[in-house]
Amino acid sequence: MYAPERHQQILATARSRGRVDVAGLAKELSVTPETVRRDLTALERRGVLRRVHGGAIPVERLGIEPGVADREVRATGEKETIARAALDELPDGGSIILDAGTTTVRLAELLPTDREFTVVTHSLPVAAALVARPNISLHLLGGVVRPRTLAAVGEWTRAQIGEVFADVAFMGTNGISVERGLTTPDMAEASVKRELIAAARRTVLLADHTKFGREDFARVAPISAIDTIITDAAIDAELAEDLENAGPRVVIVP
């Protein structure tokens, strides 16, 4: 296969899967990892791919924030296993923060009924999942609701967060890398996430493998601000090791 043919196949694969990794492409294309890296560099120079740790993502994914409905149908199996693993991080009663995100919504739905929790959230879907639960004392933060995420943001939201201090914050993210930490496309949402992390004794990040290596516009927090990361088995092993070396414990669920 000639280089232009490989480039076309790599680009098509990246667009269909959302991401490609060097090792997988080398095996699929029957070439060396060095050849794949040169191909990815050439595609990045053309402006159609962005190199990330261990692979590349199509530029269409950069700066485009999917809505809640779109995210609900992505990596559903992985989100389920991550949310179930997050149950082990719950306090024995007490207070928790649930960030906006489809994985945190799943965690809300899975919260045990035999313990009482105080839950703070700025997410309408999270609140809707918990509002009828008798063992939950629900605190819904107000503010300007972003239609894309159905989460409240702004000065009012941040002011309310400053009045609480929870045992554990369960956070989501659009992107995470060792170099840039947690990132998200919207600055207002990034600011709220940053305040949520500061409002808890311990922070647990729930993120499926598609979030790793991605870097979005607005920075939320460095890796060192996170105590535990829970992700699925499709994460790149080398990246997981790099993240753990940067501070947080990384829990990989099958």
Side-chain angles (χ1 to χ4, degrees):
M1 183 182 294
Y2 294 108
E5 295 174 304
R6 284 199 312 274
H7 294 175
Q8 185 176 7
Q9 185 169 334
I10 290 170
L11 182 58
T13 301
R15 285 172 171 167
S16 65
R17 298 178 185 172
R19 179 188 174 100
V20 289
D21 64 88
V22 171
L25 287 174
K27 184 176 180 180
E28 291 177 25
L29 300 172
S30 299
V31 295
T32 65
E34 290 73 19
T35 297
V36 172
R37 292 188 185 97
R38 287 196 296 269
D39 289 339
L40 294 180
T41 298
L43 288 165
E44 184 174 47
R45 287 172 179 166
R46 284 172 49 189
V48 293
L49 288 184
R50 173 71 62 84
R51 294 289 303 275
V52 296
H53 185 92
I57 57 177
V59 294
E60 292 89 342
R61 285 189 57 188
L62 299 173
I64 299 176
E65 185 180 14
V68 172
D70 291 331
R71 287 185 285 121
E72 282 179 343
V73 298
R74 297 182 181 180
T76 53
E78 290 89 342
K79 292 173 182 177
E80 173 77 19
T81 58
I82 290 168
R84 289 193 178 278
L87 295 174
D88 293 335
E89 304 295 327
L90 288 170
D92 188 15
S95 56
I96 63 174
I97 290 170
L98 292 180
D99 185 23
T102 51
T103 309
T104 49
V105 170
R106 188 66 188 114
L107 174 58
E109 295 167 345
L110 292 171
L111 286 179
T113 58
D114 60 349
R115 283 179 273 169
E116 292 188 352
F117 294 99
T118 297
V119 178
V120 177
T121 187
H122 67 130
S123 164
L124 294 184
V126 168
L130 296 175
V131 66
R133 297 275 294 271
N135 66 317
I136 301 294
S137 175
L138 178 64
H139 295 257
L140 177 60
L141 303 171
V144 177
V145 177
R146 294 189 66 227
R148 190 169 292 276
T149 60
L150 299 180
V153 298
E155 292 183 11
W156 189 16
T157 312
R158 296 196 305 273
Q160 293 169 85
I161 298 170
E163 297 179 358
V164 303
F165 190 60
D167 296 313
V168 186
F170 293 92
M171 302 297 299
T173 189
N174 293 77
I176 177 172
S177 70
V178 175
E179 296 79 13
R180 302 297 178 191
L182 279 61
T183 55
T184 193
D186 184 76
M187 291 189 71
E189 194 126 13
S191 180
V192 169
K193 286 177 179 289
R194 192 157 47 246
E195 295 292 334
L196 291 175
I197 291 171
R201 291 183 176 87
R202 187 163 58 91
T203 300
V204 179
L205 178 69
L206 312 181
D208 67 78
H209 69 278
T210 64
K211 309 295 179 60
F212 291 84
R214 173 171 175 168
E215 297 175 352
D216 281 289
F217 174 68
R219 189 173 185 184
V220 175
I223 294 296
S224 58
I226 306 301
D227 296 285
T228 301
I229 297 172
I230 303 178
T231 189
D232 59 90
I235 186 176
D236 178 78
E238 184 180 347
L239 177 54
E241 183 178 356
D242 289 344
L243 287 166
E244 197 153 46
N245 290 337
R249 177 172 63 107
V250 178
V251 177
I252 301 174
V253 293

